[in-house]
Amino acid sequence: MLYYKKEIIAMLLAGGQGSRLYDLTKQTAKPAVSFGGKYRIIDFPLSNCINSGIDTVGVLTQYQPLALNEYVGNGAPWGLDRSRGGLSVLPPYQDNAHSDWYKGTANAIYQNINFIKKYNPEYVLILSGDHIYKMNYADMLSSHKRNNAVCTVATVTVPKEEASRFGICNTSPDGSICEFEEKPKRPKNNQASMGIYIFNTKTLIEYLEKDEEDVTSANDFGKNIIPALLKNKEAVFAYKFRGYWKDVGTIKSLWEANMDLLGDRNLLNFSDRDFRIYSRNMARPPLFIGEKAKIVSSMISEGGRINGTVVNSVLSGGVTVEEDAEIYNSVIMSDVTVKKGAKIYYAVIDSDSCVGCNCIVGDKNADKNSIVVLPKDSNIEGAV
């Protein structure tokens, strides 16, 4: 049944396990992992949607969804608590035809075709829930319309040495994609798919249904849907994104993205009132900085008490750093206590942990290739 016609709706894939984030995703879905001291990863695509004028978003969950479901709620922090559209959480469910978990990105959307049909949109925006970036999807939609495309793939330039980790788009002079290579060993260029797609709804449903009938398919957009479109000479275009974008699927990339917020880099402007990043954040008391505290090139959220040294680090809300404790080049998530005399180097420490008096976490001679990770509720006594 048609609910309310929309020009475009978004489908946000937020069900991945995030196994490369190890202890950080043992108890929660990757999009619910903390970022930047005050945010969760999912805040970015949700904020992008409302800033782009998209007010109907389906969030497809699967792995460890409890924390994520509680966090997004009814979508109010992002302006998505609407009677006509808004935010809907879409877990796998059982019907007369199947009761499968989502088998791949394409299958996840296929299982929610009825949600798409309810709003009868002209276009569907497919998003990933594990990227850090600020992007106006309205610009991408305008490009899609100008090109008379059936599908537009957002691309970003990545370092050549990393190109083999991504789906690579080879394009013609007019910007149309002539070849799509999923994680090629010898990439022909470094224009990588961001995992962001705009489809004409009719085309999307047609190809999802064909893909579902193919028992050999991996049911994946990059491996199956996009190649099938190109094989059939469909109009598939690239949309080159030139802003900051980071896939935070590994500990190293998550750490790097947090570090990108510091000092002169400040590659994501959280103070931009015209394109805000919204979040659901508990009210906390003001940050207390003691007279013996030393803070250098760091971001520290509200509610903490800092009496030690914090250098080139990102601290979430409610973090306590006692006298003579020192933190360097690290990401400390909410409500962590660092006791007197403790030393932390190149680490990512998850929420509600405690580093005991005079403990040493990490190595002061380490670098970003040897980051120590402490899971939620860790209680450390001694060296790690």
Side-chain angles (χ1 to χ4, degrees), residues 3 6 50 53-56 74-76 78-87 119:
Y3 183 73
K6 301 282 186 177
I50 203 64
I54 298 172
D55 62 8
T56 303
N74 67 348
W78 306 273
L80 291 169
D81 52 334
R82 313 226 171 175
S83 58
R84 292 178 172 178
L87 185 148
Y119 295 99

Side-chain angles (χ1 to χ4, degrees), residues 179-182 207 220-233 236:
E179 183 181 20
F180 185 90
E181 298 179 283
E182 182 67 14
Y207 276 81
D220 183 83
F221 278 100
K223 295 177 181 177
N224 305 108
I225 301 297
I226 303 301
L229 288 166
L230 296 175
K231 182 179 179 181
N232 292 330
K233 309 294 185 183
V236 182

Side-chain angles (χ1 to χ4, degrees), residues 134-189:
K134 294 169 72 172
M135 179 178 179
N136 191 335
Y137 303 131
D139 293 341
M140 183 177 174
L141 179 59
S142 295
S143 174
H144 180 84
K145 293 176 180 178
R146 284 195 307 271
N147 291 322
N148 292 315
V150 300
C151 174
T152 297
V153 180
T155 66
V156 66
T157 302
V158 298
K160 291 182 178 180
E161 62 273 16
E162 296 182 15
S164 60
R165 295 177 43 231
F166 298 92
I168 297 299
C169 297
N170 301 313
T171 58
S172 301
D174 65 351
S176 62
I177 298 175
C178 55
E179 183 181 20
F180 185 90
E181 298 179 283
E182 182 67 14
K183 299 180 180 179
K185 292 183 179 179
R186 295 179 179 83
K188 297 175 183 177
N189 66 64

Side-chain angles (χ1 to χ4, degrees), residues 67-277:
L68 181 60
N69 293 352
E70 289 179 344
Y71 184 72
V72 300
N74 67 348
W78 306 273
L80 291 169
D81 52 334
R82 313 226 171 175
S83 58
R84 292 178 172 178
L87 185 148
S88 299
V89 175
L90 304 173
Y93 63 93
Q94 183 174 9
D95 63 16
N96 292 333
H98 57 72
S99 58
D100 292 332
W101 290 107
Y102 295 147
K103 295 179 287 187
T105 55
N107 175 258
I109 303 300
Y110 171 81
Q111 289 199 36
N112 289 283
I113 282 178
N114 286 338
F115 176 83
I116 295 172
K117 289 180 176 178
K118 181 169 72 171
Y119 295 99
N120 190 26
E122 294 179 54
Y123 309 101
V124 179
L125 171 67
I126 311 294
L127 301 171
S128 296
D130 53 1
H131 300 155
I132 302 297
Y133 65 113
K134 294 169 72 172
M135 179 178 179
N136 191 335
Y137 303 131
D139 293 341
M140 183 177 174
L141 179 59
S142 295
S143 174
H144 180 84
K145 293 176 180 178
R146 284 195 307 271
N147 291 322
N148 292 315
V150 300
C151 174
T152 297
V153 180
T155 66
V156 66
T157 302
V158 298
K160 291 182 178 180
E161 62 273 16
E162 296 182 15
S164 60
R165 295 177 43 231
F166 298 92
I168 297 299
C169 297
N170 301 313
T171 58
S172 301
D174 65 351
S176 62
I177 298 175
C178 55
E179 183 181 20
F180 185 90
E181 298 179 283
E182 182 67 14
K183 299 180 180 179
K185 292 183 179 179
R186 295 179 179 83
K188 297 175 183 177
N189 66 64
N190 58 340
Q191 281 301 306
S193 168
M194 299 168 67
I196 298 171
Y197 316 103
I198 290 179
F199 281 89
N200 293 353
T201 303
K202 180 180 178 181
T203 300
L204 174 65
I205 292 175
E206 175 188 346
Y207 276 81
L208 287 177
E209 290 176 343
K210 288 179 180 177
D211 182 69
E212 192 65 22
E213 293 172 359
D214 181 1
V215 295
T216 66
S217 175
N219 305 124
D220 183 83
F221 278 100
K223 295 177 181 177
N224 305 108
I225 301 297
I226 303 301
L229 288 166
L230 296 175
K231 182 179 179 181
N232 292 330
K233 309 294 185 183
E234 301 278 12
V236 182
F237 279 76
Y239 172 78
K240 292 186 178 181
F241 178 65
R242 292 178 170 83
Y244 178 85
W245 177 81
K246 194 79 168 181
D247 181 341
V248 288
T250 66
I251 292 296
K252 180 180 176 182
S253 61
L254 178 65
W255 180 89
E256 287 177 339
N258 276 274
M259 295 298 110
D260 285 341
L261 304 176
L262 304 179
D264 294 336
R265 284 167 289 177
N266 192 21
L267 296 177
L268 281 168
N269 181 8
F270 293 147
S271 301
D272 182 358
R273 295 189 177 184
D274 294 327
F275 205 100
R276 291 181 56 192
I277 300 300

